[in-house]
């Protein structure tokens, strides 16, 4: 197991286009989280899944954002009609529920909307 | 309101010197307090994790302290190396019956100069 894997590492897109990111968590982790991080700031929570169920969504997750984890393994985060303000690092993390430890992050996907 | 504040915002020191980064939090109760190191363009990597009952935790040249009475934590870096240049983020985890909450500081950007 190589940890949490995110693809792509970088994405440049034109405003108005749709983009999709993928996260593969640590295999035995049942929780998966998405965060957004802008320059000079700490990560901001977007949403999280326990197995395939999306249990919580932040107000930051507008209706242009949708996340799925159809089989309780990998997850996708889609942004529709991208805006320049969506430019950020999108981080995925995974953990085991009931465990305060073992919260592991991926390397992130850097999105640039031009 | 649950908040985590870090100081200084940025710090420049010479290679080989020691430094201490500060974290003040208003989160109560909490499960644990973590320090992460984040290299530019990468996801955060955990350095130390302390429960509320622990006072200190070391990881190589990194030593974290926690004072639950004053709600303060510090991260001390000994004999700094060029590879220590990164952002250091303090994160407080809400109790495990909370769905997801990691309360993030904005980080301290540390630059090590040769």
């Amino acid at each position: 197991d190589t940890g949490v894997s995110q693809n792509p590492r970088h994405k440049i897109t034109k405003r108005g286009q749709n983009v999709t990111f993928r996260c593969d968590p640590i295999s035995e982790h049942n929780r998966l989280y998405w965060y957004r991080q802008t320059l000079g700031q700490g990560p901001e929570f977007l949403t999280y899944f326990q197995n395939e169920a999306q249990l919580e969504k932040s107000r930051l997750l507008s209706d242009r954002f949708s996340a799925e984890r159809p089989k309780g393994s990998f997850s996708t985060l889609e942004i529709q009609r991208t805006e320049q303000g969506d430019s950020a690092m999108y981080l995925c993390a995974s953990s085991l529920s009931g465990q305060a430890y073992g919260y592991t992050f991926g390397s992130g996907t850097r999105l640039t909307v031009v | 309101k649950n908040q985590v504040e870090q100081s200084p915002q940025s710090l420049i020191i010479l290679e080989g010197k020691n430094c201490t980064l500060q974290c003040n939090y208003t989160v109560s109760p909490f499960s644990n307090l973590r320090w992460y190191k984040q290299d530019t363009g990468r996801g955060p990597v955990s350095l130390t994790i302390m429960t509320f009952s622990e006072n200190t935790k070391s990881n190589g040249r990194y030593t974290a302290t926690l004072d639950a009475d004053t709600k303060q934590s510090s991260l001390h870096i000994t004999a700094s190396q060029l590879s220590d240049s990164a952002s250091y983020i303090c994160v407080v985890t809400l109790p495990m019956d909370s769905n997801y909450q990691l309360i993030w500081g904005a980080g301290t950007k540390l630059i090590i100069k040769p």
Side-chain angles (χ1 to χ4, degrees):
Chain A
D1 191 355
T2 56
V4 179
S5 176
Q6 290 188 248
N7 288 289
R9 289 295 316 280
H10 300 98
K11 178 72 177 178
I12 300 174
T13 190
K14 290 184 179 178
R15 190 172 50 188
Q17 297 294 305
N18 299 345
V19 294
T20 300
F21 312 139
R22 175 176 170 130
C23 172
D24 289 87
I26 292 174
S27 56
E28 61 267 28
H29 284 181
N30 59 348
R31 284 193 175 181
L32 185 148
Y33 310 79
W34 285 100
Y35 285 82
R36 180 173 69 187
Q37 186 177 27
T38 53
L39 209 60
Q41 299 297 317
E44 298 171 295
F45 170 80
L46 293 178
T47 188
Y48 98 101
F49 293 84
Q50 179 150 315
N51 301 313
E52 65 276 9
Q54 188 173 17
L55 295 188
E56 200 75 34
K57 290 195 291 187
S58 162
R59 288 175 299 170
L60 293 174
L61 212 67
S62 76
D63 56 5
R64 296 185 298 106
F65 287 70
S66 62
E68 294 183 342
R69 194 183 184 198
K71 297 180 181 177
S73 56
F74 74 92
S75 175
T76 57
L77 177 68
E78 181 183 18
I79 308 174
Q80 296 182 324
R81 305 181 302 281
T82 52
E83 302 171 357
Q84 285 191 319
D86 297 332
S87 296
M89 173 78 85
Y90 290 84
L91 292 166
C92 175
S94 70
S95 73
L96 270 175
S97 61
Q99 256 199 12
Y101 295 75
Y103 200 99
T104 305
F105 280 87
S107 292
T109 294
R110 166 72 65 190
L111 173 66
T112 302
V113 181
V114 297
Chain B
K1 183 181 177 183
N2 291 325
Q3 283 187 314
V4 176
E5 294 183 351
Q6 292 187 241
S7 61
Q9 192 172 36
S10 62
L11 182 62
I12 302 174
I13 63 171
L14 291 175
E15 184 181 11
K17 297 296 186 183
N18 303 337
C19 66
T20 300
L21 314 180
Q22 300 292 340
C23 172
N24 295 336
Y25 60 92
T26 58
V27 182
S28 183
F30 71 93
S31 174
N32 58 70
L33 184 146
R34 312 160 185 244
W35 282 92
Y36 282 91
K37 178 186 179 188
Q38 186 173 24
D39 294 312
T40 301
R42 309 287 297 187
V45 174
S46 181
L47 294 175
T48 63
I49 303 176
M50 292 180 290
T51 66
F52 58 86
S53 60
E54 294 179 288
N55 300 121
T56 186
K57 186 70 70 78
S58 290
N59 178 3
R61 295 179 296 102
Y62 301 102
T63 299
T65 64
L66 176 62
D67 186 333
D69 291 331
T70 61
K71 293 186 170 55
Q72 295 180 325
S73 176
S74 65
L75 180 70
H76 186 74
I77 304 174
T78 305
S80 59
Q81 300 176 358
L82 296 178
S83 59
D84 292 333
S85 294
S87 287
Y88 291 83
I89 309 177
C90 175
V91 185
V92 177
T93 307
L94 291 182
M96 283 189 277
D97 58 356
S98 296
N99 285 333
Y100 61 81
Q101 280 280 23
L102 297 186
I103 311 298
W104 295 80
T108 292
K109 186 174 177 64
L110 177 64
I111 298 172
I112 311 296
K113 295 212 163 186

